[in-house]
Amino acid sequence: MRTRPLKVALLGCGVVGSEVARIMTTHADDLAARIGAPVELAGVAVRRPSKVREGIDPALITTDATALVRRGDIDVVVEVIGGIEPARTLITTAFENGASVVSANKALLAEDGAALHAAAEKYGRDLYYEAAVAGAIPLVRPLRESLAGDKVNRVLGIVNGTTNFILDKMDTSGAGYSEALDEATALGYAEADPTADVEGFDAAAKAAILAGIAFHTRVKIGDVHREGITEVTAADIASARRMGCTVKLLAICERAADGASVTARVHPAMIPLSHPLASVREAYNAVFVEAEAAGQLMFYGPGAGGSPTASAVLGDLVAVCRNKLGEATGPGESAYTRLPVSPMGEVVTRYHISLDVADKPGVLAQVATVFAEQGVSIDTVRQQGKDGEASLVVVTHRAPDAALSGTVEALRKLDTVRGVASIMRVEGE
Ligand code: HSE
C-alpha cells in the first residue's frame, strides 16, 4: 500500500459534510485498505468557522474555499455546499488545479452538468455524483456503468423523500396538505422553506440527471415538466383510494416508442395499490429502471439525510481515489445520442377527472361528446347524484397529454359543468 496519503478537501460541513468527515476518520483504515493508500482530510471550507465541529481538527477549518481548491496538492474535492454559485466556480477551479471532484449538487448538475463534464474532461479529472440523486441509493453508477451495455427505455420513481412523507401522511391519516406539511416540518423532513421539495424542483433536477445518464443525452432541469404537490387535496387522495390507488409524486423519464426523442416529467399521479411504488412509505425513495435486456430493476432506500448521503459520497470518494492511484479516470459524460426532449403535450398518459355537474338529462352525453371531440377515449365513468347535482368521475384511456388538457379546458366551458374538482394523471398500470 502507498503510504503517502491522498488529500481531500471538503467544501461544506453541514449535515452531509460532517458525516463524511466523521466516517473518513472512523473508517480510515478500511478506506485505506480499499483504496490502496490512506486518505487525509486536508481542509474543510465552511461559512461559520466559530461553530464547534466535533472530531474535526480546528486547524483544517477555513472560510476561504477558493484558496483551498487552489492549493495544488489536493487530490479530491468533495463539494457538499449545494446551489449554483460558488459551487460551479469552485468545482471548475478544482479541476484546473489538479483535483477530481465528488459532488452531491443536484441543482448544479441538472443546470450545468455538460459544462462541468467538459471541464473535467479537459483537465483529465473525474466528476462523480452518486449522492446527487436519491441519497444512499446506488443509481448513478448502475446507470453509468452496470447498464452501459443495455438500452434503458424508462426510469420511473419516487425521488423526493419530503413529498413522499407528506403524501403518505395524507393517505394514511386523511390529513390535508397543510397539516401533513406541518408534521413533516416538525419532524425535520421538510425545510423551513419547503419550496424546492413541494413544488417539485428537487425531483425535477434528479429527473434531469437520471434521464441524461439513462438515455445518453443531455437533459436540463428546464426540459423537465414539473408540477408539485401543493394542489393535492384530501379529496384527491380519497378519490384515489376509491379507485384502488394512492397518490405519489413521480419522476418519469421515457424514451419515445420510435426512439427518436425522450421526455422527462415530475408530477403527482395515482398509482394502483398493487404497484411496488405504492408501498414506498414515509421519506423513502424508490426507482424503477426498465432496460431492454435487463427487464425491470427496482432500487429502494433512504433518499435523504446526512448518513445515507454521506454513504454515497464516500463510495464515490473511494472510486475516485482508486482512479487517481491508477492514473486513470472513470466514465465521463455520455451524451452521444443527442436526443431531443419532447414537450409534455406529447407524453401519452391517462387522466382521472372529477367533475361537479348538473344532474339532468343530456349532461353525460354532453360531457362524453367533449372527450370524443378531443379524440380521448373514456375507460370508466362513475356518477353519484344528490339534490340535482352530481359528481362525475371519468378515467380515460391513454392519450396525448395535450388532448387530455384540451378536454379539461373544454369541459370547464360547459354550463352544465359546475366545476372541475380534481385532475390527476394515472400511472403504473
Ligand atoms: N430534500 C430531498 C428530499 C433530499 O426530501 O428527498 C435531498 O435531495
Side-chain angles (χ1 to χ4, degrees):
M1 181 173 2
R2 188 178 104 161
T3 50
R4 188 161 48 86
L6 288 152
K7 293 192 177 176
V8 176
L10 185 56
L11 308 183
C13 198
V15 181
V16 177
S18 55
E19 204 42 26
V20 169
R22 187 189 67 76
I23 298 172
M24 278 182 70
T25 308
T26 55
H27 292 31
D29 292 345
D30 285 325
L31 291 172
R34 292 169 197 176
I35 291 166
V39 270
E40 175 190 300
L41 195 55
V44 183
V46 300
R47 264 186 314 189
R48 283 176 298 142
S50 53
K51 190 173 157 189
V52 178
R53 293 180 168 86
E54 214 178 300
I56 297 180
D57 179 355
L60 297 179
I61 302 287
T62 175
T63 52
D64 193 346
T66 304
L68 180 58
V69 297
R70 275 199 186 140
R71 260 171 53 166
D73 65 337
I74 301 295
D75 294 290
V76 185
V77 167
V78 173
E79 183 269 307
V80 284
I81 51 179
I84 305 296
E85 285 294 352
R88 174 168 46 199
T89 304
L90 290 169
I91 290 175
T92 312
T93 309
F95 290 145
E96 285 166 11
N97 286 274
S100 283
V101 172
V102 173
S103 172
N105 194 331
K106 67 206 80 122
L108 178 57
L109 284 153
E111 179 60 36
D112 221 4
L116 293 180
H117 278 293
E121 192 177 337
K122 178 176 170 191
Y123 293 101
R125 320 283 181 228
D126 272 330
L127 172 62
Y128 275 47
Y129 45 92
E130 184 63 70
V133 184
I137 307 174
L139 258 179
V140 172
R141 188 135 350 132
L143 284 169
R144 277 218 297 193
E145 299 182 38
S146 320
L147 291 165
D150 207 334
K151 182 180 182 190
V152 176
N153 289 320
R154 195 162 188 246
V155 179
L156 163 86
I158 295 165
V159 293
N160 183 269
T162 307
T163 48
N164 200 55
F165 180 89
I166 294 170
L167 292 172
D168 184 40
K169 246 323 117 190
M170 290 173 75
D171 186 64
T172 50
S173 71
Y177 168 75
S178 302
E179 203 185 321
L181 171 62
D182 286 348
E183 187 168 347
T185 310
L187 291 171
Y189 290 116
E191 292 182 34
D193 176 1
T195 311
D197 292 318
V198 299
E199 295 291 2
F201 291 102
D202 176 82
K206 293 166 181 169
I209 295 169
L210 290 175
I213 305 172
F215 307 133
H216 299 269
T217 189
R218 284 190 183 143
V219 180
K220 292 180 76 162
I221 187 166
D223 299 322
V224 180
H225 174 86
R226 177 191 53 78
E227 294 169 33
I229 63 160
T230 54
E231 314 263 295
V232 177
T233 62
D236 291 328
I237 307 265
S239 199
R241 277 268 152 194
R242 279 194 292 276
M243 281 180 57
C245 290
T246 187
V247 176
K248 295 289 185 191
L249 183 72
L250 297 182
I252 306 174
C253 313
E254 289 170 312
R255 190 192 290 275
D258 65 2
S261 61
V262 299
T263 54
R265 54 192 161 118
V266 167
H267 55 73
M270 293 184 182
I271 54 166
L273 291 171
S274 56
H275 193 283
L277 288 180
S279 53
V280 177
R281 307 285 311 276
E282 303 195 323
Y284 279 85
N285 285 190
V287 178
F288 262 86
V289 175
E290 292 174 16
E292 206 168 81
Q296 283 197 332
L297 307 167
M298 184 168 170
F299 300 83
Y300 172 85
S307 226
T309 309
S311 163
V313 168
L314 284 152
D316 279 353
L317 180 63
V318 169
V320 168
C321 286
R322 284 174 178 157
N323 291 345
K324 275 255 164 190
L325 287 183
E327 294 178 4
T329 49
E333 186 192 35
S334 173
Y336 68 94
T337 65
R338 295 287 194 276
L339 291 171
V341 184
S342 299
M344 185 64 194
E346 290 177 23
V347 169
V348 176
T349 181
R350 299 174 68 200
Y351 270 26
H352 167 286
I353 305 165
S354 180
L355 305 167
D356 295 322
V357 298
D359 194 3
K360 59 184 190 187
V363 172
L364 194 54
Q366 253 184 4
V367 167
T369 302
V370 168
F371 281 84
E373 282 169 356
Q374 299 286 333
V376 174
S377 171
I378 293 173
D379 182 18
T380 62
V381 182
R382 196 180 68 233
Q383 179 176 327
Q384 197 165 20
K386 198 177 164 216
D387 304 330
E389 299 277 306
S391 144
L392 202 59
V393 177
V394 181
V395 182
T396 72
H397 284 298
R398 283 162 61 79
D401 203 80
L404 289 159
S405 57
T407 305
V408 173
E409 211 175 299
L411 287 170
R412 286 189 202 276
K413 290 188 184 137
L414 290 181
D415 287 343
T416 46
V417 172
R418 310 277 190 243
V420 180
S422 105
I423 312 158
M424 200 168 287
R425 296 182 186 89
V426 183
E427 299 287 341
E429 290 174 312

